[in-house]
Amino acid sequence: NAGVTQTPKFQVLKTGQSMTLQCAQDMNHNSMYWYRQDPGMGLRLIYYSASEGTTDKGEVPNGYNVSRLNKREFSLRLESAAPSQTSVYFCASRRSKAGGPRETQYFGPGTRLLVL
Amino acid sequence: DQQVKQNSPSLSVQEGRISILNCDYTNSMFDYFLWYKKYPAEGPTFLISISSIKDKNEDGRFTVFLNKSAKHLSLHIVPSQPGDSAVYFCAASDGSNYKLTFGKGTLLTVNP
Protein backbone atom coordinates (compact mmCIF):
# COMPACT_ATOMS: atom_id res chain seq x y z
CA ASN A 1 0.00 0.00 0.00
CA ALA A 2 1.83 3.09 -1.25
CA GLY A 3 -0.58 5.68 0.18
CA VAL A 4 -0.09 9.07 -1.46
CA THR A 5 2.64 9.35 -4.08
CA GLN A 6 3.96 12.49 -5.75
CA THR A 7 6.13 13.05 -8.78
CA PRO A 8 8.63 14.51 -9.33
CA LYS A 9 10.49 14.68 -6.01
CA PHE A 10 12.49 17.70 -7.10
CA GLN A 11 12.29 20.11 -10.03
CA VAL A 12 14.12 23.22 -11.16
CA LEU A 13 12.30 25.58 -13.51
CA LYS A 14 13.13 28.85 -15.16
CA THR A 15 10.76 31.77 -14.79
CA GLY A 16 7.93 31.45 -17.29
CA GLN A 17 8.21 27.70 -17.77
CA SER A 18 5.25 25.45 -17.08
CA MET A 19 5.01 22.13 -15.35
CA THR A 20 2.53 19.73 -13.79
CA LEU A 21 2.95 18.13 -10.40
CA GLN A 22 1.39 14.70 -10.20
CA CYS A 23 -0.33 13.13 -7.21
CA ALA A 24 -1.97 9.74 -6.85
CA GLN A 25 -3.51 7.86 -3.93
CA ASP A 26 -4.37 4.19 -3.69
CA MET A 27 -6.58 4.36 -0.60
CA ASN A 28 -9.86 4.92 -2.46
CA HIS A 29 -10.15 8.33 -0.83
CA ASN A 30 -12.70 10.83 -2.06
CA SER A 31 -11.10 14.16 -1.18
CA MET A 32 -7.70 15.37 -2.33
CA TYR A 33 -5.68 18.51 -1.56
CA TRP A 34 -2.68 20.51 -2.67
CA TYR A 35 -0.66 22.52 -0.14
CA ARG A 36 2.50 24.55 -0.29
CA GLN A 37 4.93 24.91 2.57
CA ASP A 38 7.23 27.89 2.79
CA PRO A 39 9.78 28.57 5.54
CA GLY A 40 8.04 30.00 8.60
CA MET A 41 4.64 29.83 6.91
CA GLY A 42 3.28 26.42 7.75
CA LEU A 43 1.10 24.65 5.16
CA ARG A 44 -1.26 26.70 3.03
CA LEU A 45 -4.04 25.19 0.95
CA ILE A 46 -3.82 25.89 -2.78
CA TYR A 47 -6.71 23.86 -4.21
CA TYR A 48 -8.80 20.94 -3.15
CA SER A 49 -11.18 18.41 -4.64
CA ALA A 50 -14.00 17.25 -2.40
CA SER A 51 -14.86 14.40 -4.75
CA GLU A 52 -14.17 13.20 -8.25
CA GLY A 53 -15.29 15.84 -10.72
CA THR A 54 -15.14 18.82 -8.37
CA THR A 55 -12.37 21.28 -7.54
CA ASP A 56 -12.30 24.44 -5.42
CA LYS A 57 -9.87 27.20 -4.57
CA GLY A 58 -8.08 27.24 -1.28
CA GLU A 59 -6.18 30.01 0.44
CA VAL A 60 -3.49 30.69 -2.20
CA PRO A 61 -4.79 29.60 -5.66
CA ASN A 62 -3.30 32.35 -7.84
CA GLY A 63 -0.89 31.06 -10.46
CA TYR A 64 -2.09 27.47 -10.23
CA ASN A 65 -4.63 25.20 -11.88
CA VAL A 66 -5.71 21.71 -10.92
CA SER A 67 -7.29 18.69 -12.54
CA ARG A 68 -9.01 15.83 -10.76
CA LEU A 69 -8.28 13.29 -13.47
CA ASN A 70 -10.12 10.46 -11.73
CA LYS A 71 -10.68 9.32 -8.19
CA ARG A 72 -7.01 8.39 -7.74
CA GLU A 73 -5.22 11.33 -9.34
CA PHE A 74 -5.10 15.05 -8.67
CA SER A 75 -2.59 17.18 -10.58
CA LEU A 76 -1.35 20.72 -9.97
CA ARG A 77 -0.23 22.84 -12.91
CA LEU A 78 1.92 25.94 -12.97
CA GLU A 79 1.29 27.64 -16.31
CA SER A 80 4.02 30.27 -16.02
CA ALA A 81 6.28 29.66 -13.07
CA ALA A 82 7.50 32.58 -10.95
CA PRO A 83 10.25 32.69 -8.30
CA SER A 84 7.51 33.26 -5.69
CA GLN A 85 6.31 29.73 -6.42
CA THR A 86 9.54 28.24 -5.11
CA SER A 87 8.26 26.02 -2.36
CA VAL A 88 7.64 22.48 -1.21
CA TYR A 89 4.33 21.15 -2.49
CA PHE A 90 2.38 18.50 -0.65
CA CYS A 91 -0.56 16.50 -1.88
CA ALA A 92 -2.96 14.97 0.65
CA SER A 93 -6.07 12.81 0.60
CA ARG A 94 -8.96 12.10 2.93
CA ARG A 95 -11.49 9.29 2.89
CA SER A 96 -14.74 11.22 3.20
CA LYS A 97 -16.38 13.69 0.92
CA ALA A 98 -17.30 17.20 2.03
CA GLY A 99 -19.31 17.23 5.22
CA GLY A 100 -18.19 13.75 6.17
CA PRO A 101 -16.97 12.71 9.61
CA ARG A 102 -13.92 14.32 11.06
CA GLU A 103 -11.00 12.49 9.56
CA THR A 104 -7.36 13.02 9.10
CA GLN A 105 -5.64 13.84 5.85
CA TYR A 106 -2.80 11.66 4.63
CA PHE A 107 0.13 13.43 3.02
CA GLY A 108 2.52 12.52 0.25
CA PRO A 109 6.30 12.99 0.56
CA GLY A 110 6.33 16.35 -1.23
CA THR A 111 7.78 17.92 -4.37
CA ARG A 112 10.55 20.47 -3.97
CA LEU A 113 10.26 23.14 -6.64
CA LEU A 114 12.87 25.78 -7.35
CA VAL A 115 12.01 28.54 -9.80
CA LEU A 116 14.98 30.57 -10.99
CA ASP B 1 -4.80 37.01 9.76
CA GLN B 2 -3.45 33.86 11.31
CA GLN B 3 -6.24 31.73 12.73
CA VAL B 4 -3.99 29.04 14.17
CA LYS B 5 -0.91 30.21 16.00
CA GLN B 6 2.09 28.31 17.25
CA ASN B 7 4.08 31.02 18.94
CA SER B 8 7.15 28.96 19.74
CA PRO B 9 9.21 28.29 16.60
CA SER B 10 11.39 25.84 18.50
CA LEU B 11 11.62 23.83 21.70
CA SER B 12 14.50 21.83 23.13
CA VAL B 13 14.07 19.20 25.86
CA GLN B 14 16.11 16.41 27.41
CA GLU B 15 15.35 12.80 26.66
CA GLY B 16 12.94 11.35 29.20
CA ARG B 17 11.45 14.72 30.15
CA ILE B 18 8.08 16.11 29.11
CA SER B 19 7.66 18.11 25.92
CA ILE B 20 4.78 20.58 25.81
CA LEU B 21 3.86 22.16 22.49
CA ASN B 22 1.28 24.91 22.46
CA CYS B 23 -1.26 26.13 19.94
CA ASP B 24 -3.78 28.98 20.03
CA TYR B 25 -6.67 29.63 17.68
CA THR B 26 -8.92 32.57 17.03
CA ASN B 27 -11.80 31.10 15.02
CA SER B 28 -14.55 30.03 17.44
CA MET B 29 -16.06 27.88 14.68
CA PHE B 30 -13.15 25.42 14.84
CA ASP B 31 -14.37 22.21 16.41
CA TYR B 32 -11.77 19.62 15.49
CA PHE B 33 -8.06 19.85 16.10
CA LEU B 34 -5.15 17.74 14.93
CA TRP B 35 -1.43 17.48 15.47
CA TYR B 36 0.88 16.41 12.68
CA LYS B 37 4.55 15.51 12.92
CA LYS B 38 6.95 16.19 10.09
CA TYR B 39 10.46 14.90 9.56
CA PRO B 40 12.79 16.63 7.07
CA ALA B 41 12.17 15.68 3.44
CA GLU B 42 8.96 13.81 4.34
CA GLY B 43 5.29 14.68 4.32
CA PRO B 44 3.43 15.44 7.56
CA THR B 45 2.05 12.41 9.37
CA PHE B 46 -0.99 12.42 11.60
CA LEU B 47 -0.26 12.12 15.29
CA ILE B 48 -3.37 12.74 17.37
CA SER B 49 -6.64 14.65 17.23
CA ILE B 50 -9.34 15.98 19.52
CA SER B 51 -12.93 17.01 19.06
CA SER B 52 -14.27 20.11 20.75
CA ILE B 53 -16.65 17.99 22.83
CA LYS B 54 -13.63 16.63 24.70
CA ASP B 55 -10.94 18.32 26.72
CA LYS B 56 -8.37 15.55 26.59
CA ASN B 57 -7.33 12.76 24.29
CA GLU B 58 -4.54 10.32 24.98
CA ASP B 59 -2.62 7.93 22.76
CA GLY B 60 0.36 6.26 24.33
CA ARG B 61 3.00 8.87 25.10
CA PHE B 62 0.99 11.62 23.42
CA THR B 63 -1.81 13.60 25.06
CA VAL B 64 -3.66 16.56 23.63
CA PHE B 65 -5.47 18.98 25.91
CA LEU B 66 -8.10 21.42 24.72
CA ASN B 67 -9.21 24.54 26.61
CA LYS B 68 -12.08 25.94 24.58
CA SER B 69 -12.64 29.00 26.73
CA ALA B 70 -9.03 30.03 26.21
CA LYS B 71 -8.98 28.81 22.59
CA HIS B 72 -5.84 26.93 23.43
CA LEU B 73 -4.59 23.40 22.93
CA SER B 74 -1.40 21.69 23.88
CA LEU B 75 0.40 18.49 22.99
CA HIS B 76 2.23 16.67 25.77
CA ILE B 77 4.84 14.04 24.99
CA VAL B 78 5.93 11.93 27.94
CA PRO B 79 8.60 10.68 28.05
CA SER B 80 10.29 12.48 25.17
CA GLN B 81 12.58 10.43 22.96
CA PRO B 82 15.24 11.50 20.44
CA GLY B 83 13.06 10.05 17.65
CA ASP B 84 10.40 12.62 18.54
CA SER B 85 12.65 15.36 17.14
CA ALA B 86 10.62 16.84 14.30
CA VAL B 87 8.43 19.80 13.36
CA TYR B 88 4.98 19.61 14.93
CA PHE B 89 2.05 21.31 13.23
CA CYS B 90 -1.22 22.15 14.90
CA ALA B 91 -4.25 22.15 12.57
CA ALA B 92 -7.93 22.95 12.95
CA SER B 93 -11.16 22.53 11.02
CA ASP B 94 -14.70 23.80 11.49
CA GLY B 95 -17.99 22.03 11.16
CA SER B 96 -18.86 23.41 7.76
CA ASN B 97 -16.09 21.95 5.71
CA TYR B 98 -13.22 19.58 5.80
CA LYS B 99 -10.39 22.00 5.10
CA LEU B 100 -7.58 22.26 7.59
CA THR B 101 -5.95 25.47 8.77
CA PHE B 102 -2.38 24.92 9.90
CA GLY B 103 -0.14 26.73 12.30
CA LYS B 104 3.45 27.56 11.34
CA GLY B 105 4.89 24.66 13.26
CA THR B 106 7.24 24.13 16.21
CA LEU B 107 10.61 22.42 15.81
CA LEU B 108 11.08 20.01 18.71
CA THR B 109 14.59 18.81 19.48
CA VAL B 110 14.98 16.04 22.04
CA ASN B 111 18.55 15.79 23.26
CA PRO B 112 19.96 12.42 24.36
Side-chain angles (χ1 to χ4, degrees):
Chain A
N1 191 341
V4 179
T5 57
Q6 294 183 236
T7 56
K9 287 187 178 4
F10 180 70
Q11 184 73 44
V12 179
L13 290 179
K14 294 181 179 178
T15 297
Q17 287 185 316
S18 62
M19 79 162 293
T20 300
L21 282 66
Q22 306 287 354
C23 173
Q25 51 88 12
D26 62 1
M27 298 176 282
N28 200 35
H29 284 178
N30 286 286
S31 302
M32 297 185 74
Y33 306 80
W34 276 106
Y35 293 88
R36 60 178 288 174
Q37 187 196 6
D38 302 299
M41 292 296 293
L43 284 86
R44 292 183 293 170
L45 183 64
I46 304 171
Y47 270 95
Y48 64 98
S49 171
S51 60
E52 187 179 354
T54 68
T55 61
D56 284 287
K57 295 178 180 180
E59 182 185 354
V60 287
N62 291 344
Y64 305 95
N65 285 299
V66 291
S67 295
R68 183 75 183 265
L69 304 172
N70 47 55
K71 191 172 185 180
R72 289 188 64 247
E73 298 172 290
F74 189 38
S75 63
L76 178 72
R77 182 159 179 84
L78 287 70
E79 291 291 351
S80 178
S84 61
Q85 294 177 305
T86 293
S87 189
V88 182
Y89 291 86
F90 291 101
C91 177
S93 70
R94 175 179 179 271
R95 183 168 62 89
S96 294
K97 297 181 181 181
R102 303 288 183 267
E103 292 174 345
T104 187
Q105 295 181 13
Y106 295 86
F107 284 82
T111 293
R112 280 164 175 69
L113 177 65
L114 175 61
V115 183
L116 302 175
Chain B
D1 182 29
Q2 213 181 340
Q3 299 187 68
V4 177
K5 301 177 184 179
Q6 294 178 257
N7 292 320
S8 298
S10 62
L11 175 67
S12 182
V13 299
Q14 286 299 119
E15 181 178 6
R17 305 294 289 269
I18 184 171
S19 295
I20 300 177
L21 294 92
N22 294 304
C23 178
D24 297 294
Y25 62 95
T26 57
N27 187 341
S28 58
M29 298 302 294
F30 287 149
D31 65 352
Y32 191 67
F33 305 89
L34 307 91
W35 285 93
Y36 282 82
K37 179 169 71 173
K38 185 183 179 305
Y39 292 119
E42 294 185 11
T45 55
F46 170 72
L47 190 58
I48 193 169
S49 63
I50 188 167
S51 167
S52 61
I53 62 173
K54 296 184 174 181
D55 55 17
K56 177 183 174 181
N57 189 26
E58 195 170 354
D59 184 1
R61 296 186 297 114
F62 303 92
T63 303
V64 57
F65 295 92
L66 175 62
N67 182 334
K68 282 190 295 181
S69 60
K71 294 191 177 64
H72 176 84
L73 64 154
S74 60
L75 174 67
H76 292 211
I77 306 174
V78 183
S80 301
Q81 299 173 353
D84 295 330
S85 297
V87 176
Y88 288 78
F89 289 101
C90 173
S93 71
D94 65 29
S96 65
N97 60 53
Y98 45 90
K99 295 185 288 185
L100 293 179
T101 301
F102 284 84
K104 294 184 177 182
T106 296
L107 173 62
L108 173 65
T109 303
V110 180
N111 301 302

